[in-house]
Amino acid sequence: MDRLTAMQAYVRVVEAGTFTKAADSLDLPKATVTRLIQTLESHLRTKLLNRTTRRVTVTPDGAAYYERAVRLLGDLEELEGSMSQARVTPRGRIRIDVPGVVGREMIIPHLPDFYAKYPDIQIELGVSDRTVDLISDNIDCVIRGGDLTDQSLVARRISEFRFITCATPEYLRRHGTPAHPRELGEAPHRMVGYFSARSGKVMSDTFRRGDETVEVVGNHVIAVNDANAYLNAGLAHLGVVQVTCFMAAPLIKSGELVRVLEEWDAEPIPVYVVYPPNRHLSSKLRVFVDWVVELLGREALGGMNLRCTN
């Protein structure tokens, strides 16, 4: 038995939750993964997993073996990296998941700069606003905005997104210009709503002016759960929108959007890079994260904010 391969297969089964997902992520037949786990259990003379038709769970012995195996595999990868040129020229595949607007507007346009430095790294980039399961989907890290609810994950705050309130000239012609955020909660004004894909609840918008804070659930005829759809609804004159500075800046410059309620600051959203627990931070992932930290810090907090001012 190749104990290293069996150990890797076991860790992946535990993290994925099913033999099928583990086999897919390892690019192995399901029967091969099953045989590796059975052989490993026979070698260790203990049961590591409880199997059901839909999911597997770890036994107490299996949990202890998983913790040691994760550390051992991480140490092995680090050792191999130190014995080669992996630290100088990281290589291999990483799986990343980012919000749609971050992927399309920020990361993808700058990837040629990344590949100029690291041509041997292959990125599988999930681009959506949906919530993913880092462990079962075998994702190395995600970038997420807003408050984090899963306390089991490891998070590093890397930046924040700032917003301004905008509307199209046509919307303002039809409905007038709001003088106070509370006006957005009732006719004739409208806001484009944004609802949580997890809860289905339409989120409120927060406005601040000095010591005064106003929270508004906007009067809306449409609510979406994707940042680009949200902006497109605003551009279709369907309501006032709170848009990130880097998205709003070129549209304000072109005259497609007009800034409103300029005395009021929209609530900024913190941005995090998030890792699964017990996941080793390889050299290839580390250089990508460092690059993203620098990129988002520059784009979200630097020149983009300056271009949001009139």
Side-chain angles (χ1 to χ4, degrees):
M1 176 187 65
D2 184 340
R3 279 189 285 178
L4 179 58
T5 302
M7 185 184 298
Q8 291 170 329
Y10 173 72
V11 167
R12 189 80 281 277
V13 169
V14 173
E15 293 178 342
T18 69
F19 279 82
T20 300
K21 285 186 176 181
D24 289 343
S25 67
L26 293 169
D27 198 23
L28 292 172
K30 180 182 176 182
T32 300
V33 174
T34 301
R35 185 170 61 253
L36 284 168
I37 301 305
Q38 291 173 341
T39 304
L40 182 63
E41 288 179 321
S42 177
H43 173 75
L44 297 173
R45 298 182 181 179
T46 187
K47 187 176 183 181
L48 300 174
L49 299 170
N50 292 315
R51 300 160 175 83
T52 67
T53 55
R54 293 188 176 183
R55 192 168 180 85
V56 296
T57 57
V58 294
T59 65
D61 285 343
Y65 185 83
Y66 169 78
E67 295 295 334
R68 296 291 297 273
V70 166
R71 289 197 295 270
L72 182 60
L73 291 172
D75 290 343
L76 179 60
E77 184 174 348
E78 191 70 24
L79 175 61
E80 290 178 343
S82 67
M83 294 294 105
S84 66
Q85 295 299 310
R87 287 183 177 273
V88 178
T89 56
R91 64 185 65 240
R93 183 188 67 139
I94 53 176
R95 293 195 65 186
I96 314 295
D97 196 87
V98 301
V101 64
V102 173
R104 286 185 287 267
E105 302 291 334
M106 302 180 78
I107 291 181
I108 291 175
H110 290 89
L111 277 178
D113 297 333
F114 177 81
Y115 283 119
K117 296 180 180 178
Y118 307 107
D120 297 323
I121 295 179
Q122 179 187 17
I123 299 173
E124 294 184 358
L125 186 67
V127 181
S128 73
D129 290 349
R130 71 182 181 91
T131 301
V132 296
D133 187 324
L134 279 76
I135 296 176
S136 66
D137 292 337
N138 195 29
I139 295 173
D140 292 298
C141 76
V142 301
I143 297 171
R144 285 293 178 263
D147 296 329
L148 302 177
T149 57
D150 191 341
Q151 300 302 313
S152 68
L153 301 175
V154 179
R156 172 186 173 188
R157 180 166 176 160
I158 59 175
S159 186
E160 68 177 20
F161 289 153
R162 296 184 179 177
F163 295 77
I164 57 174
T165 309
C166 304
T168 63
E170 178 63 18
Y171 171 89
L172 298 176
R173 186 188 67 80
R174 295 177 188 176
H175 302 278
T177 301
H180 193 281
R182 290 194 184 93
E183 296 180 22
L184 300 175
E186 57 189 28
H189 283 293
R190 298 172 178 171
M191 288 195 74
V192 177
Y194 194 101
F195 68 89
S196 166
R198 177 177 298 175
S199 68
K201 181 181 178 181
V202 176
M203 300 178 182
S204 61
D205 294 284
T206 302
F207 299 82
R208 288 180 176 164
R209 182 177 63 182
D211 296 331
E212 183 180 5
T213 300
V214 177
E215 188 171 344
V216 177
V217 177
N219 176 38
H220 64 273
V221 294
I222 183 172
V224 298
N225 66 346
D226 172 83
N228 281 281
Y230 177 81
L231 176 58
N232 288 335
L235 291 172
H237 326 301
L238 293 173
V240 176
V241 288
Q242 284 192 342
V243 185
T244 55
C245 290
F246 64 86
M247 294 178 72
L251 297 170
I252 291 175
K253 184 177 181 179
S254 68
E256 294 175 81
L257 288 178
V258 176
R259 189 172 183 180
V260 298
L261 299 171
E262 294 185 44
E263 296 180 357
W264 295 84
D265 294 324
E267 184 77 5
I269 291 180
V271 182
Y272 299 89
V273 59
V274 184
Y275 315 96
N278 301 318
R279 181 63 58 88
H280 173 68
L281 194 62
S282 62
S283 59
K284 59 182 181 288
L285 182 58
R286 186 180 298 114
V287 297
F288 178 81
V289 169
D290 289 344
W291 176 77
V292 166
V293 169
E294 180 182 358
L295 174 65
L296 266 63
R298 183 174 70 245
E299 296 292 305
L301 293 178
M304 288 298 182
N305 276 343
L306 297 177
R307 295 208 301 271
C308 278
T309 59
N310 288 337

